[in-house]
Amino acid sequence: MDLVCPAGNYPSLKAAVNQGANAVYIGFKDDTNARHFAGLNFNDKKIDQALDYAKSKGVKIFIAINTYSQSQGWPRWKQAIDRAAQLEVDAVIAADIAVLDYAVSTYPELNLHLSVQGSATNYEALRFYQQRFNIRRAVLPRVLSLAQVQALAKNSPVDLEVFAFGSLCIMAEGRCHLSSYVTGESPNMCGVCSPAKAVNWEQRGDVLESRLNGVLIDRYQKDVNASYPTLCKGRFRVNGEVVHALEEPTSLNTIGLIPELSKIGIKAVKIEGRQRSPAYVQQVTQVWRQALDHYARAGDKFAAKKEWTDVLAKVSEGAQTTLGAYLRPWQ
Amino acid sequence: MAVRKMKLSLGPLQYLWSRQDTFDFYDLMTSLPVDIIYLGETVCSKRRNLKTGDWLDLARHLTEQGKQVVLSTLTLIEAESELKTMRRLCSQDDFLVEANDMAAVQLLSERGVPFVAGPFINIYNARSLAFLSRLGLRRWVMPVELSRASLKGIFDAPEAKTLEQSLETEIFSYGRLPLAFSARCFTARAHKLSKDNCEFVCGDYPQGLQLDSQEEQTVFTINGIQTQSGDVYNLLPEVADMKKLSVDILRLSPQREGMRDVIHHFRDAIEGRHIAALSSDAYCNGYWHDEAGIFEIKPL
């Protein structure tokens, strides 16, 4: 299985390449990608540098152009595809029908991957994107159990890539409007979820409050680790009890599933986190490279090492990890 | 686009109601001025108070009563059994089908039959709309997070000129907004149950389970694997404007309480009769005004 790693800037890209990523995915510096954060992503000069570096080390570059264009903004998405084609990147990761259609009809040689934002969770949906846009690979939303991934892989017309590690979306990606409901900005429209500009931290006596566009997401007592206020990880009152009604702050970690995912025929595992630091990319890529190499040698004797899970836990949200939807009881 | 008479639709029932309550509800609808009724389970395939055959029987009955019936497919399709149900809906010829997943778009477009795209088919621009209309799209429901300005942008784009004159635009205009779908059942979680052993607790919440912030602000409503808006979305004050924009159909989403009044109010608004305000409940309408969906923008 290939290891696909995130990079939000050039130092992260170098770290991913140096630690053994097979491919690195990046985005342009605008809202054409789903990590449209201030200070993140690649301008023209940096992208040339990134491509040169990756190519010199035999590592592939994928460009995410995976948000949905609104009619008024179309020239930005068109330019992004034009630019990616000129750069001869190894793949473009896209979701919007308009973007996929433009890409395949203008640049038939451009290698297209369906983004997780395309929200394809079954083989009939994958057949649609394969037949209409000749996609070669699809990234699966984090909603399927391991058995469902296995069944899908058997019938899939294209290669599959799954999320292996990082922040956990618990909703079907591409079909979640929670962020725009509270902040006006969403992954599909703006390339952001729970955007930083909507976040507010307030200390009230001993209690720290996190808010998103004025809506209280959580309250933390002294000495409790506070998490970034993402809506699906907030604490809400439901049936009289204050609980993490949707999900706790936690990260996805599937390192123990490497043998299963490999046997199913998954083509690539993806690390989430273009918004994270170069140190994160360096550590996570290193651990996953070691784990995949270990599996290649050990086969069925593979077992996740404690030193790996320790490193991954340290860089995880809420310092805890889960198998998420892969594991049926989680659902 | 040609001027057509604006119609009212009743969206698919999003909640789990008892078999009898469901039949009673649709029975009431036969006497009310809605033109189009969407039928079927769009949220959770475990819900079987009405089986596919029951929905089809109901569809035939409502057609005889003069309603246009559309069959809605499941939104999040993960299992073979779910594909099977979806195939059954997509392979019949008696009723139009609302595709809520690209799987249904695939089957319907392969068959070459006209279809409707539900609000979770991601049509954010005129190019996507034009592409799908070439595949047989006859009506689309705008994604709920889009605004009046987005819609205007779509209608004003050059590609809109290539659209069939008959393509209809439907706007989600009343009800709790469907916002997200997950693998996890949140209603079961609230009862410390797993989805596989959910005991169908969502059936205890005929309008969903309210989720408030720790300072008692209503934020979301949970409905099984679906998350909805906390407040009811209400575009009643915008009907005249939507008519001017050539919106063809207004979608009202079934709520347990007060649908008779809601339907009459919207009908009055379409006919240009004097409209009284709906009950004094809290509403939201931010999305239409290009703001956070949770806000209620009051008319000036």
Side-chain angles (χ1 to χ4, degrees), chain A residues 38-97:
Chain A
L40 215 63
N41 293 320
F42 291 73
N43 61 23
D44 283 353
K45 194 175 143 205
K46 284 289 175 202
I47 221 155
D48 288 339
Q49 223 178 334
L51 275 164
D52 286 347
Y53 191 75
K55 270 192 183 149
S56 74
K57 306 275 182 178
V59 173
K60 291 180 172 151
I61 292 284
F62 301 162
I63 297 212
I65 306 174
N66 59 344
T67 46
Y68 290 82
S69 159
Q70 291 196 50
S71 296
Q72 301 93 323
W74 171 250
R76 283 199 301 288
W77 276 261
K78 178 180 174 297
Q79 273 162 27
I81 291 291
D82 292 341
R83 184 89 180 104
Q86 281 160 16
L87 291 167
E88 296 179 0
V89 297
D90 297 286
V92 164
I93 309 169
D96 186 351
I97 285 173

Side-chain angles (χ1 to χ4, degrees), chain A residues 254-268:
Chain A
T254 65
I255 205 156
L257 295 183
I258 287 175
E260 285 85 352
L261 294 171
S262 174
K263 281 179 202 157
I264 286 171
I266 296 301
K267 178 75 177 171

